[in-house]
Amino acid sequence: MTGALRGTKVLDLSRFIAGPLCGMILGDMGADVVKVERKGQGEDARTVAPFAGGESLYVMMYNRNKRGLEIDFRNPQAQRLLRDLIGQSDIVIENFRPGTMEKMGCGWDVISGLNPRTIMVRISGFGQDGPYAERPCFDAIGQAMSGLMEMTGLPDGPPVPA
C-alpha cells in the first residue's frame, strides 16, 4: 500500500455503514486495515441487498482495502487474541452498543494500557452515556428525531428520508 497512512495499523471491529466507511477511508489512504467480524456470521450488513454474486454490495464496497478475520467475540481465547491485535494497532474502530468493549475486556482502560498511542474511535448515535446511550441509531432514526424528515417530501405527504 502507498498513501499518507502507509504503516498505520487499523483494527476495524465495526459493522454496518458508519464504522466500515471510516475504516475504508483509512484503507484508501494507505493504512493496513484488519476487519474483524463475528465467527460464522460476519457483520450484519452481509444480509443487506443489493447483492452481486451472492455478496452484499455494501460489504464489498465498505470493506475494500481491508484484510479479514473472524472471531467469536464471546470466547475468552478470542478476546485474548483481540487484545493482542489491539496492542499492535494504531487505531481501533468500534460501533458496538455502549459497554460491549468493556464486557469483552477491551475498554479504553485496557486498550490504553496495551498501547498508549492507540486511538480508539467509538461510533454511536447517542454517545457512550446519557439517557439515549442504549438506543440503537441509524440514519433514518437520526433524521426522524432531528425533524429533518418532516422538512422533506411533499407538503401533504408523510415524512420522507433525505
Side-chain angles (χ1 to χ4, degrees):
M1 288 295 254
T2 60
L5 296 180
R6 192 177 86 203
T8 302
K9 293 184 179 185
V10 177
L11 188 63
D12 183 354
L13 307 175
S14 66
R15 64 246 195 278
F16 282 113
I17 296 172
L21 174 65
C22 180
M24 178 197 80
I25 292 169
L26 296 174
D28 288 350
M29 295 177 67
D32 177 14
V33 182
V34 174
K35 168 75 174 194
V36 180
E37 298 183 55
R38 287 181 300 188
K39 187 169 183 94
Q41 287 182 271
E43 71 160 273
D44 297 325
R46 289 193 175 276
T47 63
V48 177
F51 297 97
E55 296 289 327
S56 168
L57 290 176
Y58 285 109
V59 172
M60 285 193 279
M61 182 175 70
Y62 291 122
N63 289 315
R64 69 175 184 238
N65 293 326
K66 299 178 186 180
R67 295 182 291 144
L69 171 69
E70 283 188 346
I71 67 167
D72 176 359
F73 288 107
R74 298 181 194 275
N75 180 307
Q77 287 180 313
Q79 291 171 358
R80 283 193 290 280
L81 171 63
L82 187 56
R83 285 188 289 279
D84 288 344
L85 292 168
I86 288 169
Q88 301 169 37
S89 300
D90 300 301
I91 300 169
V92 176
I93 304 167
E94 67 93 1
N95 62 349
F96 297 116
R97 287 187 176 154
T100 300
M101 291 290 287
E102 287 74 13
K103 287 177 189 170
M104 292 190 297
C106 298
W108 174 245
D109 56 333
V110 173
I111 288 176
S112 62
L114 292 169
N115 183 350
R117 294 178 30 119
T118 299
I119 297 167
M120 185 176 193
V121 178
R122 301 191 100 166
I123 302 168
S124 67
F126 300 108
Q128 296 297 305
D129 53 36
Y132 291 168
E134 292 296 321
R135 291 185 179 188
C137 187
F138 293 96
D139 181 44
I141 295 170
Q143 287 187 44
M145 289 184 72
S146 70
L148 179 61
M149 280 178 145
E150 191 63 32
M151 299 179 343
T152 60
L154 299 172
D156 296 334
V160 177

